[in-house]
């Protein structure tokens, strides 16, 4: 509901702002810094560490883009945005791009005049319950009390799901994820529902994670990806193909450890084209020929970024699942560098 | 006579009985208890009930607070140290206190906000306590420029050229006053505006190129935590009082234009929630300004918060004005004082004194309202607590952060409230 109020306001202004803001690449190079909108704090995806340096899965995308353009992964000015301010910050030019767990939907893409350049994380809405409840499927949740964040798509998905399955539920509205954890642990609700990645992160932070289960049903599609304004194809291309470069690098076995060596030239022509030892892909984007080398050196390829920030060796402990490469049964698929 | 008495009266005491201690139930702690806590069955019941509640809450929170872990790198490490026993994990404060206080302000420059805070108290002292030498007020007047330079840094000529605008206004006023009083007021307003618009920029850049002095520039987006609350709160508080007084006087004015402007402003601002104004500051202004111009977000927020507080302040002061007996106004007229003299010498001192509790109420409210900036993505203490909780180390921690933030706000709000009580006692003239 909240979002639909903003939709109208953006639609009128975004186009104007978008046109005025063409030549994004030039202005970023002049500024020497990328303005990247991130979330104000989401475990594993974006959060400042004890030294105030932003870390996380979404943050890594900003760093890769900054590295590709400016050859400096730290030349990013992170602008914390909330669910309400993110699109207007982008439309008004306060940020150059958003890398902020934003779901790619029809209205955002078309009506808000934004461009989703790809998907860096495939998420979906799920349920977490206490193991004591003895529930093994979401279809057994009839009559449950559900903690739900207000003003998000999850609220609508929940209503749809329960109606489609002819079940009733009692919503317990909450504002933030931290509040939800407290309410859920205090027993104010039987079920907590949000994106599965958020559930996993929340569960991992519990004192006894094993006492809680995430139910197998995923009731919605939440493809999260970086967003830019409409109206600057060159800039859109840079962000899109930087993301693709990270995914393609994993597919081609290029890591942050061997990228410098492979950039000298290999027998694989696609690796050569990606890393700039063959072809003119860099200059087509308006960048130097080693743009992809820099992007990959910043934080590694897609798989390395995943493992370092949210993978199963981290406290967040997410499995690759849908986010595995297409060759390994997942959905991550970079368009060919040709 | 004494002989007679010695025969008729068996015993006459000729020395005083030494003073005795009062009965046990009428002295010391027991008397106090009897009078204050157990003075009847109803009060006794309430006392016992309160004791039970206090005991119950202490029993619930006490062990948790006492069994605190201060040194740990993450929540999981805390839990390992606690080893199943319930306890707080204030290690998060130990690890992140600098972020909660300063946000992302560069750590080697922490002395600057600290010094700015210390100097703030120095600057406030002569305003708050009349016993101090009046010459200190010069420092108070200079403080906004010093504070700005300490916090943001950059070229020292920027605050100086801003300050020179006021000097220009003063000089213009003195020069023109000899000719005409009203013209002098206009000159005093126009001269600084002219200076700031046309001369301040060239002066700043010229001086900077000749003599580049100044501290390292710190960008607004590095500000966060309690620093941002204080910057917004203190600026809002100190600007909203004079603005509020002007608005209150304007609302009482006989001039239709002035009056209607003030009424419309006050009623509009009071009619919309602060959060709406903040969203306007952060979202709408971006669309109105030409692309590329970055009008500092903190500045935008300060302006909105100040306007908001000023509208409430105006109504509080109007209450004080309304409470003054009409005779005071008439007495001022009878003495032949003009409008401003009457306000300055007779009306305002009394009206402000009456309004002290209301004014302080607005101040404290404003200070606490600064936490609303979390909704537009500024990382004030509440915003940072979310960000800290989002780091993998401290995910899942909750009460410790809020207790720390609550304690910080309590110190300041309680301080303000104690000062206002002192001021009320001092200004009390006891119309009994």
């Amino acid at each position: 509901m909240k979002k639909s109020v903003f939709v109208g306001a953006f639609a009128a202004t975004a186009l104007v702002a978008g046109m005025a803001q063409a030549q994004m690449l030039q202005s970023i190079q002049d500024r020497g810094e990328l303005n990247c909108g991130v979330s104000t704090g989401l475990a594993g995806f974006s959060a400042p560490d004890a030294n105030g340096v932003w870390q996380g899965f979404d943050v890594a995308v900003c760093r890769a883009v900054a590295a590709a353009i400016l050859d400096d992964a730290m030349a990013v000015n992170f602008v914390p945005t909330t669910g309400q301010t993110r699109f207007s910050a982008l439309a008004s030019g306060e940020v150059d791009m958003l890398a902020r767990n934003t779901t790619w939907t029809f209205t955002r893409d078309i009506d808000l005049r934004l461009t989703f350049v790809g998907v860096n994380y495939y998420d979906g809405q799920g349920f977490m319950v206490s193991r004591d409840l003895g529930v093994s499927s979401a279809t057994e949740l009839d009559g449950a009390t559900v903690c739900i964040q207000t003003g998000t798509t999850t609220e609508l998905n929940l209503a749809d799901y329960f109606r489609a399955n002819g079940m009733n539920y009692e919503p317990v509205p909450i504002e933030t994820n931290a509040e939800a954890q407290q309410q859920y642990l205090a027993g104010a609700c039987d079920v907590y529902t949000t994106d599965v990645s958020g559930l996993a992160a929340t569960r991992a932070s519990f004192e006894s994670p094993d006492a809680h289960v995430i139910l197998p049903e995923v009731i919605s599609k939440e493809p999260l990806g970086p967003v830019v304004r409409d109206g600057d194809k060159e800039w859109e291309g840079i962000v899109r193909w930087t993301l693709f470069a990270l995914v393609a690098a994993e597919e081609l076995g290029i890591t942050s450890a061997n990228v410098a060596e492979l950039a000298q030239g290999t027998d694989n022509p696609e690796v050569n084209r990606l890393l700039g030892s063959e072809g003119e892909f860099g200059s087509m984007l308006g960048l130097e020929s080693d743009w992809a080398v820099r992007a990959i050196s910043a934080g590694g390829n897609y798989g390395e970024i995943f493992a370092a920030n949210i993978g199963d060796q981290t406290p967040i402990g997410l499995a690759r699942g849908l986010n595995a490469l297409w060759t390994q049964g997942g959905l991550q698929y970079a368009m060919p560098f040709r | 006579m004494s002989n007679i008495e010695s025969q008729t009266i068996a015993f006459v005491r000729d020395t005083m009985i030494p003073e005795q201690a009062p009965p046990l139930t009428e002295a010391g702690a027991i008397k106090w208890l009897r009078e204050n806590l157990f003075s009847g069955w109803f009060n006794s019941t309430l006392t016992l009930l309160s004791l039970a509640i206090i005991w119950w809450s202490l029993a619930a929170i006490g062990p948790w607070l006492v069994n605190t872990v201060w040194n740990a790198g993450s929540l999981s490490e805390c839990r390992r140290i606690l080893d199943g026993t319930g306890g707080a994990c204030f290690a998060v404060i130990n690890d992140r206190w600098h972020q909660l206080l300063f946000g992302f302000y560069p750590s080697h420059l922490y002395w600057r906000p600290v010094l700015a805070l210390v100097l703030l108290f120095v600057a406030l002292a002569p305003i708050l306590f009349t016993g101090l030498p009046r010459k200190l007020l010069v420092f108070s007047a200079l403080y906004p420029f010093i504070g700005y330079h300490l916090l943001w840094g950059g070229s020292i000529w920027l605050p100086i050229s801003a300050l020179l605008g006021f000097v220009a206004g003063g000089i213009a006023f003195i020069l023109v006053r000899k000719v005409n009083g009203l013209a002098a007021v206009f000159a005093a307003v126009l001269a600084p505006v002219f200076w700031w618009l046309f001369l301040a920029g060239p002066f700043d850049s010229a001086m900077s190129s000749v003599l580049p002095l100044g501290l390292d520039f710190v960008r607004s987006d590095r500000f966060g935590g309690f620093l941002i609350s204080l910057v917004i709160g203190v600026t809002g508080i100190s600007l909203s009082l004079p603005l509020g007084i002007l608005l209150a006087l304007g609302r009482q004015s006989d001039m239709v234009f002035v009056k209607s402007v003030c009424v419309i402003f006050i009623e509009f601002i009071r009619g919309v929630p602060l959060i709406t104004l903040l969203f306007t500051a952060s979202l709408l202004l971006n669309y109105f300004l030409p692309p590329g111009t970055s009008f500092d977000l903190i500045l935008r927020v300060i302006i909105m918060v100040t306007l908001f507080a000023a509208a409430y302040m105006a109504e509080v002061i109007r209450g004080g004005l309304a409470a003054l007996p009409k005779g005071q106004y008439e007495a001022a007229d009878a003495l032949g004082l003009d409008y401003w003299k009457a306000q300055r010498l007779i009306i305002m001192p009394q009206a402000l004194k009456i309004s002290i509790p209301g004014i302080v109420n607005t101040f404290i409210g404003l200070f606490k309202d600064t936490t609303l900036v979390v909704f537009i993505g500024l990382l004030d203490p509440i915003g940072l607590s979310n960000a800290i909780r989002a780091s993998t180390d401290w995910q899942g921690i909750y009460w410790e952060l809020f207790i720390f933030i609550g304690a910080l706000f309590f110190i300041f709000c309680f301080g303000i409230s104690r000062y206002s009580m002192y001021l009320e006692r001092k200004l009390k003239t006891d119309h009994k």
Side-chain angles (χ1 to χ4, degrees):
Chain A
M1 281 304 290
K2 281 181 188 171
K3 281 177 193 102
S4 60
V5 180
F6 287 96
V7 167
F10 297 138
T13 46
L15 181 65
V16 184
M19 282 175 171
Q21 285 287 310
Q23 304 307 314
M24 184 66 82
L25 175 63
Q26 189 58 46
S27 65
I28 293 169
Q29 281 169 337
D30 293 345
R31 203 190 305 143
E33 195 174 57
L34 172 71
N35 289 334
C36 195
V38 291
S39 101
T40 47
L42 181 68
F45 287 84
S46 70
D49 67 9
N51 300 317
V53 181
W54 287 81
Q55 309 281 1
F57 188 71
D58 284 337
V59 167
V61 175
C62 303
R63 296 217 185 275
V65 173
I69 301 172
L70 301 163
D71 197 16
D72 180 3
M74 302 307 283
V76 190
N77 173 29
F78 289 100
V79 180
T81 55
T82 67
Q84 276 89 36
T85 61
R86 53 184 167 183
F87 297 126
S88 66
L90 182 63
S92 67
E94 201 174 326
V95 297
D96 305 327
M97 61 179 282
L98 276 183
R100 188 202 177 282
N101 62 312
T102 300
T103 308
W104 186 346
T105 66
F106 180 90
T107 45
R108 287 172 182 175
D109 199 351
I110 305 302
D111 207 20
L112 291 190
R113 299 192 180 280
L114 303 174
T115 302
F116 286 81
V117 300
V119 176
N120 68 334
Y121 191 87
Y122 289 96
D123 216 335
Q125 188 177 344
F127 300 99
M128 177 164 63
V129 294
S130 167
R131 200 176 284 279
D132 300 338
L133 221 56
V135 173
S136 58
S137 159
T139 52
E140 302 166 27
L141 289 177
D142 195 11
T145 49
V146 184
C147 278
I148 176 94
Q149 270 173 282
T150 50
T152 60
T153 48
T154 53
E155 202 177 8
L156 308 174
N157 296 335
L158 180 76
D160 288 356
Y161 181 78
F162 272 73
R163 208 179 70 186
N165 285 283
M167 300 189 295
N168 292 313
Y169 69 101
E170 193 185 324
V172 179
I174 43 104
E175 192 60 40
T176 64
N177 187 42
E179 189 189 340
Q181 291 181 23
Q182 293 298 313
Q183 296 280 20
Y184 173 75
L185 285 177
C189 48
D190 308 320
V191 187
Y192 177 34
T193 179
T194 186
D195 289 350
V196 175
S197 66
L199 287 180
T202 304
R203 179 168 165 267
S205 75
F206 288 168
E207 199 146 4
S208 45
D210 294 336
H212 305 271
V213 281
I214 295 172
L215 299 177
E217 284 85 358
V218 175
I219 64 167
S220 72
K221 291 183 287 188
E222 308 282 345
L224 312 177
V227 196
V228 298
R229 275 187 298 278
D230 273 1
D232 188 342
K233 287 306 260 185
E234 184 189 32
W235 171 234
E236 179 190 324
I238 291 170
V239 182
R240 169 171 294 135
W241 286 92
T242 306
L243 184 62
F244 283 157
L246 297 179
V247 177
E250 187 185 7
E251 197 179 322
L252 298 167
I254 307 169
T255 66
S256 54
N258 68 10
V259 63
E261 180 193 336
L262 293 177
Q264 306 301 321
T266 62
D267 298 335
N268 185 335
E270 184 155 18
V271 173
N272 291 350
R273 282 194 297 271
L274 174 61
L275 299 184
S277 56
E278 250 177 59
E280 291 290 321
F281 284 16
S283 61
M284 286 184 214
L285 281 174
L287 302 174
E288 327 238 315
S289 62
D290 64 344
W291 64 280
V293 179
R294 299 167 177 178
I296 296 163
S297 314
N301 62 36
Y302 181 83
E304 286 178 277
I305 294 173
F306 194 101
N309 293 296
I310 50 178
D312 45 16
Q313 297 303 310
T314 66
I316 310 286
L318 291 174
R320 283 297 287 269
L322 285 178
N323 296 290
L325 292 179
W326 64 285
T327 50
Q328 290 157 14
L331 292 176
Q332 287 296 345
Y333 183 104
M335 305 306 145
F337 279 81
R338 180 169 293 283
Chain B
M1 200 155 134
S2 63
N3 283 341
I4 300 170
E5 278 178 358
S6 68
Q7 285 154 14
T8 55
I9 301 170
F11 171 75
V12 176
R13 171 165 285 286
D14 47 13
T15 54
M16 289 289 285
I17 302 175
E19 268 182 25
Q20 300 225 337
L24 208 59
T25 52
E26 285 301 321
I30 294 180
K31 175 175 190 253
W32 186 86
L33 281 176
R34 277 170 59 99
E35 282 184 357
N36 293 293
L37 297 180
F38 300 97
S39 61
W41 66 269
F42 183 68
N43 285 345
S44 304
T45 319
L46 283 184
T47 303
L48 289 177
L49 203 64
S50 316
L51 281 177
I53 290 173
I54 292 172
W55 169 251
W56 177 76
S57 20
L58 277 183
I61 303 168
W64 184 78
L65 275 178
V66 171
N67 194 13
T68 286
V69 177
W70 281 102
N71 288 304
S74 67
L75 184 59
S76 50
E77 198 184 329
C78 253
R79 284 178 178 153
R80 238 188 348 270
I81 296 171
L82 286 169
D83 198 24
T85 59
C89 182
F90 280 99
V92 65
I93 308 298
N94 200 4
D95 190 40
R96 296 292 184 99
W97 63 270
H98 55 278
Q99 249 172 34
L100 286 168
L101 292 185
F102 300 105
F104 304 126
Y105 210 85
S107 55
H108 63 284
L109 299 177
Y110 280 169
W111 62 270
R112 277 164 48 179
V114 172
L115 183 63
L117 182 65
V118 172
L119 290 182
L120 171 68
F121 286 116
V122 176
L124 282 179
I127 301 174
L128 299 184
F129 301 101
T130 44
L132 292 165
R134 298 290 85 196
K135 279 184 182 164
L136 278 176
L137 281 172
V138 176
F139 179 75
S140 309
L142 290 177
Y143 179 76
F145 304 96
I146 299 172
Y148 168 84
H149 186 62
L150 274 175
L151 289 175
W152 274 271
S155 165
I156 198 168
W157 299 109
L158 184 67
I160 288 182
S161 64
L163 179 61
L164 284 177
F166 290 105
V167 176
I171 294 173
F173 181 76
I174 293 169
L175 287 180
V176 183
R177 192 171 52 179
K178 290 167 188 159
V179 186
N180 182 327
L182 189 63
V185 175
F186 279 112
V189 174
L190 288 178
V193 172
F194 179 76
W195 169 267
W196 288 324
L197 282 182
F198 300 108
L199 298 176
F203 172 80
D204 179 30
S205 46
M207 289 308 287
S208 305
S209 58
V210 176
L211 194 60
L213 276 180
L215 298 164
D216 290 346
F217 180 62
V218 179
R219 287 189 343 196
S220 281
D221 53 18
R222 311 287 289 175
F223 284 50
F226 210 60
L227 175 60
I228 223 172
S229 304
L230 271 181
V231 168
I232 297 174
V234 169
T235 326
I237 283 174
S238 43
L239 293 180
S240 66
L241 183 60
L243 258 181
I245 292 176
L246 287 182
L247 282 171
L249 289 179
R251 198 172 180 162
Q252 304 250 328
S253 167
D254 295 332
M255 290 180 267
V256 179
F257 178 71
V258 173
K259 182 175 173 135
S260 43
V261 165
C262 290
V263 169
I264 290 171
F265 177 85
I266 292 171
E267 294 305 329
F268 173 74
I269 298 273
R270 289 205 310 165
V272 294
L274 176 58
I275 193 79
T276 316
L277 292 177
L278 290 177
F279 273 124
T280 309
S282 91
L283 306 181
L284 278 180
L285 279 182
N286 274 341
Y287 292 114
F288 297 141
L289 296 168
T293 46
S294 57
F295 185 23
D296 196 286
L297 181 57
I298 293 186
L299 189 62
R300 281 183 261 160
V301 168
I302 287 177
I303 292 173
M304 284 302 180
V305 167
T306 306
L307 295 182
F308 186 78
Y312 278 84
M313 192 63 72
E315 288 301 281
V316 168
I317 291 167
R318 193 167 68 93
L321 289 173
L324 272 194
K326 202 157 181 275
Q328 297 291 327
Y329 292 90
E330 290 166 353
D333 288 342
L335 284 172
L337 298 176
D338 67 12
Y339 179 75
W340 291 108
K341 273 192 185 140
Q343 291 298 341
R344 189 162 56 85
L345 299 172
I346 295 189
I347 310 298
M348 270 302 148
Q350 299 184 73
L352 286 180
K353 195 186 83 183
I354 298 171
S355 327
I356 288 175
I359 292 175
V360 171
N361 221 359
T362 313
F363 281 173
I364 293 180
L366 161 67
F367 188 52
K368 290 193 290 191
D369 278 351
T370 57
T371 49
L372 284 176
V373 299
V374 71
F375 291 109
I376 53 168
L378 282 181
L379 292 178
D380 80 322
I382 304 287
L384 269 168
S385 78
N386 281 332
I388 290 171
R389 229 177 270 121
S391 71
T392 46
D393 284 347
W394 296 114
Q395 215 215 343
I397 206 148
Y398 195 75
W399 297 108
E400 290 85 344
L401 288 167
F402 280 128
I403 290 175
F404 181 70
I405 295 166
L408 281 178
F409 272 97
F410 180 80
I411 291 171
F412 276 86
C413 294
F414 189 65
I416 298 175
S417 134
R418 294 308 295 189
Y419 171 75
S420 91
M421 287 165 78
Y422 155 81
L423 197 61
E424 275 176 63
R425 269 199 310 276
K426 203 183 82 164
L427 298 180
K428 201 163 162 186
T429 41
D430 271 333
H431 298 290
K432 278 181 186 168

